[in-house]
Amino acid sequence: MAKIAYILLCHKDPTAVIRQAERLTAVGDYMAIHFDASANKQDFQEIKKALASNPNVTLVRKRVRCGWGEWSLVQATLNALAAALAAFPRATHFYMLSGDCMAIKSAEYTHRFLDNDDADFIESNDFFESNWIRTGWKEERLIYRHWFNERTQKKRFYAMFEAQKKLGLTRDIPADLQIKIGSQWWCLRRRTIESLMNFIAKRRDVKRFFATTWIPDETFFQTLVSHLVPQDEIRARTLTFLMFTDYGMPVTFYNDHYDLLLSQDYLFARKISSEAHDLTRRLGLLYAAEGVQFQISNEGRNLFDFLTGRGRIGRRFATRFWETESTLGRERELLIVICKKWHVAKRVLERIRQVTNVPAIEYLFNEEDTPLPDLGGIQSSLEKRTRHRRALMRMLFDYFETDRLIVCMDPSNLDLLNDFASDRSTTRMLEIECQFSDDYLTGHAMRVGLAGDQTSDDTLDRLLPTIRNDMVHESDAIRDADFHNMSRLRETATEDQNAEAIGSFLSISRDKATEITRTDHLFAD
């Protein structure tokens, strides 16, 4: 059975450290604590005194002063690992934690999870090929030497970098290593840790190399584990649930996140607010609990993106300067069908094609696989289509050799609707208003990743009103835009009313419009 030695690096809040150590060792697991050498000495003494009688806790004697982005964080981890290896010979796994982490599964579940998969859990993305580093330095982290802390010695840090760059003082990466990068929150097996410690004892050149790289805690363990362990024994993921805002700051969890955290496919979560006393209490009791069943839905990140995104109303992509004065053409007519239920819009679109023979394209700005002709690559991705929407639409008019074209759009595409409505061409819109049952909203939440098969009824009860209100908000925003040439096809309207709306939208006779509205199961889910 798995027995975990938790590796805890901390520098403050001795009370929280003591409680965390007591909780995680109460069921037979272990903990090695490295308390920052630059932290308050009295805090360290408080921890030492409180945990002195706990045989499952060891305090790292060889403490170092840690700084963000420095080798010192790796060295502190290595010191803690050495202490844990010596103190806990029965430990099968070593799990990296911070003082802001808490278990979101029981020890019973955690041990069973590790027993069922004999592997190392560590993010290990290719340093150069992956998009893990989104902004800032990349190879500069490695090929130049970094002796100073970027946050506390900024002038020296950048002065040394510029001097090396000017003089061309770059260095080679150790030839036998493929540099990997990922989160520092990993869980490794004992034999992996032992192999790693033996490797760096023999390969001092590797340790020297990483000791002067920048932010080595994101590359050192990730690279060496991939070098030492067969790839089929590595799960390139972390078992600690953490999210970041658009500004690169960690998302903090509060009291009302308890159910969400338990439903994620992770063992721990970071960061738990120091003010979330009820969350801390409930998670603290959870680790020692027995017989707890967890419904894993894993929708946390999608929910976060959805809920934070609701507050951002604006244009996702600015118009390029060379497109500012572009137009689809004064003589052209763009017909836009707007509907949240895509299957309903596609059904209407297919019937319009049959009755009018006007070229029609489905959700080209929402679905990557919408059938489109080869237009030289501009159609290859949703991002390109959206960024160059007017150019794309001009090319589609030319391709079909027509002055009338119908497209489908989601109500959330308000920026696109505004852009096309402001064009010199004639733009007509048809909004299809549908009824949204709870069953439909549940299915929608699952399709877009806001919920899963295991999402609890309680979570859905809280989520569905938010989704419904979001859809209402999108429709209201379209109404507030007060577009010209706007028609509405309503599920609750009569056949005559809908025929009038279709006729106005397509500029066709009443008979042809009625032929479209009489389509069987037009609004069916």
Side-chain angles (χ1 to χ4, degrees):
M1 179 178 176
K3 291 185 75 68
I4 306 168
Y6 291 104
I7 307 300
L8 178 64
L9 268 56
C10 50
H11 64 280
K12 62 178 181 179
D13 201 348
T15 302
V17 172
I18 294 166
R19 287 176 180 169
Q20 189 177 36
E22 290 173 342
R23 282 193 298 262
L24 295 179
T25 60
V27 293
D29 288 320
Y30 310 107
M31 179 173 286
I33 300 174
H34 178 280
F35 198 74
D36 199 317
S38 61
N40 189 300
K41 292 182 180 179
Q42 292 181 342
D43 288 346
F44 180 65
Q45 292 301 319
E46 182 179 344
I47 294 171
K48 188 175 181 180
K49 180 179 179 180
L51 299 175
S53 60
N54 190 331
N56 287 8
V57 175
T58 185
L59 301 181
V60 179
R61 294 184 179 181
K62 194 175 182 180
R63 298 187 294 142
V64 297
R65 296 175 179 270
C66 297
W68 183 88
E70 289 183 9
W71 169 255
S72 56
L73 285 173
V74 177
Q75 188 60 62
T77 305
L78 291 173
N79 292 351
L81 286 170
L85 283 169
F88 311 125
R90 296 181 61 196
T92 62
H93 294 76
F94 295 78
Y95 196 122
M96 186 73 180
L97 289 178
S98 76
D100 296 321
C101 297
M102 285 199 72
I104 56 174
K105 298 291 185 293
S106 63
E108 182 180 65
Y109 180 99
T110 299
H111 294 155
R112 186 169 60 246
F113 181 96
L114 296 176
D115 285 337
N116 290 340
D117 194 356
D118 184 19
D120 296 305
F121 294 84
I122 182 169
E123 280 190 349
S124 52
N125 306 287
D126 186 276
F127 186 89
F128 295 100
E129 298 299 327
S130 72
N131 194 35
W132 205 84
I133 301 175
R134 295 185 180 275
T135 59
W137 286 354
K138 200 164 193 175
E139 67 173 2
E140 292 89 347
R141 293 189 182 196
L142 306 175
I143 63 173
Y144 296 107
R145 296 167 179 83
H146 303 280
W147 292 283
F148 301 103
N149 185 293
E150 190 267 345
R151 292 188 174 181
T152 60
Q153 298 171 292
K154 189 177 291 288
K155 289 184 177 179
R156 290 182 178 179
F157 179 88
Y158 287 106
M160 290 303 300
F161 168 72
E162 292 297 338
Q164 292 177 82
K165 187 177 178 181
K166 185 176 181 179
L167 296 171
L169 299 178
T170 59
R171 59 176 174 176
D172 293 329
I173 297 169
D176 59 331
L177 295 184
Q178 181 183 3
I179 305 300
K180 301 281 188 167
I181 189 167
S183 167
Q184 64 269 53
W185 312 113
W186 38 254
C187 178
L188 303 176
R189 296 168 297 176
R190 186 181 192 94
R191 62 176 177 269
T192 300
I193 294 295
E194 290 173 342
S195 296
L196 188 147
M197 301 296 273
N198 290 334
F199 178 82
I200 60 176
K202 296 175 182 176
R203 291 290 301 275
R204 296 189 177 184
D205 61 311
V206 171
K207 188 174 179 179
R208 283 197 301 271
F209 171 78
F210 280 103
T212 51
T213 60
W214 191 42
I215 321 182
D217 55 316
E218 294 180 350
T219 55
F220 179 77
F221 292 99
Q222 295 77 0
T223 299
L224 295 193
V225 171
S226 292
H227 182 72
L228 297 169
V229 177
Q231 289 303 305
D232 62 355
E233 296 182 23
I234 298 175
R235 306 292 175 261
R237 57 161 296 191
T238 176
L239 295 177
T240 298
F241 180 60
L242 66 161
M243 297 189 294
F244 291 90
T245 68
D246 288 350
Y247 304 100
M249 300 300 292
V251 173
T252 301
F253 299 109
Y254 296 93
N255 290 334
D256 56 350
H257 287 124
Y258 180 80
D259 290 330
L260 180 142
L261 291 177
L262 265 59
S263 67
Q264 304 312 305
D265 187 21
Y266 295 85
L267 304 181
F268 280 76
R270 182 179 187 272
K271 332 171 48 162
I272 307 299
S273 171
S274 59
E275 298 176 359
H277 302 300
D278 188 56
L279 177 62
T280 301
R281 179 188 62 80
R282 296 176 74 185
L283 292 179
L285 295 172
L286 177 68
Y287 194 69
E290 296 181 356
V292 180
Q293 299 298 315
F294 296 91
Q295 292 184 326
I296 307 300
S297 55
N298 216 33
E299 74 279 11
R301 286 189 172 84
N302 288 331
L303 274 174
F304 176 77
D305 292 341
F306 168 68
L307 294 172
T308 54
R310 292 175 70 237
R312 304 179 190 128
I313 301 173
R315 296 183 62 171
R316 177 69 176 87
F317 300 106
T319 304
R320 293 293 186 266
F321 73 91
W322 45 267
E323 288 190 321
T324 303
E325 296 302 322
S326 67
T327 178
L328 305 186
R330 290 183 184 275
E331 73 286 355
R332 286 173 169 167
E333 190 173 31
L334 178 63
L335 306 171
I336 304 175
V337 176
I338 308 163
C339 186
K340 198 67 182 180
K341 289 187 176 180
W342 294 2
H343 60 283
V344 173
K346 292 177 182 179
R347 196 176 297 141
V348 171
L349 210 64
E350 180 58 31
R351 191 63 178 137
I352 289 174
R353 282 196 196 102
Q354 296 170 359
V355 173
T356 68
N357 205 32
V358 176
I361 301 172
E362 296 174 358
Y363 287 86
L364 74 168
F365 296 110
N366 302 99
E367 290 186 302
E368 196 88 51
D369 58 355
T370 297
L372 289 171
D374 185 354
L375 301 174
I378 195 173
Q379 82 293 341
S380 61
S381 70
L382 290 178
E383 182 178 350
K384 283 187 177 181
R385 296 176 204 171
T386 305
R387 192 180 296 274
H388 308 300
R389 58 256 202 173
R390 292 198 185 189
L392 171 68
M393 209 61 72
R394 286 199 308 272
M395 295 171 78
L396 288 170
F397 273 108
D398 293 339
Y399 177 84
F400 289 108
E401 297 180 349
T402 183
D403 287 333
R404 299 190 85 203
L405 182 67
I406 308 174
V407 298
C408 286
M409 292 191 194
D410 190 89
S412 63
N413 298 139
L414 185 62
D415 57 336
L416 296 175
L417 297 175
N418 276 313
D419 192 30
F420 287 124
S422 66
D423 190 76
R424 295 190 185 103
S425 63
T426 300
T427 302
R428 298 184 183 278
M429 301 183 192
L430 175 71
E431 184 182 10
I432 304 177
E433 294 185 359
C434 302
Q435 301 292 102
F436 300 108
S437 66
D438 285 351
D439 286 342
Y440 171 81
L441 293 178
T442 300
H444 174 77
M446 291 183 177
R447 285 190 293 274
V448 300
L450 298 178
D453 292 336
Q454 300 300 318
T455 300
S456 66
D457 291 339
D458 183 56
T459 299
L460 284 173
D461 288 343
R462 287 181 292 169
L463 179 61
L464 295 190
T466 303
I467 297 176
R468 190 186 301 277
N469 290 337
D470 195 62
M471 292 180 177
V472 171
H473 171 77
E474 289 175 351
S475 185
D476 285 344
I478 291 173
R479 288 173 179 268
D480 292 341
D482 196 23
F483 294 120
H484 295 296
N485 302 319
M486 185 74 173
S487 303
R488 285 184 174 81
L489 192 70
R490 294 182 172 90
E491 185 173 356
T492 56
T494 66
E495 185 179 289
D496 286 342
Q497 290 172 326
N498 283 337
E500 183 179 348
I502 285 283
S504 175
F505 173 63
L506 294 172
S507 301
I508 59 176
S509 68
R510 185 61 171 262
D511 289 343
K512 285 191 173 183
T514 301
E515 194 176 341
I516 294 171
T517 58
R518 283 181 178 171
T519 302
D520 292 337
H521 310 296
L522 188 64
F523 292 96
D525 287 337

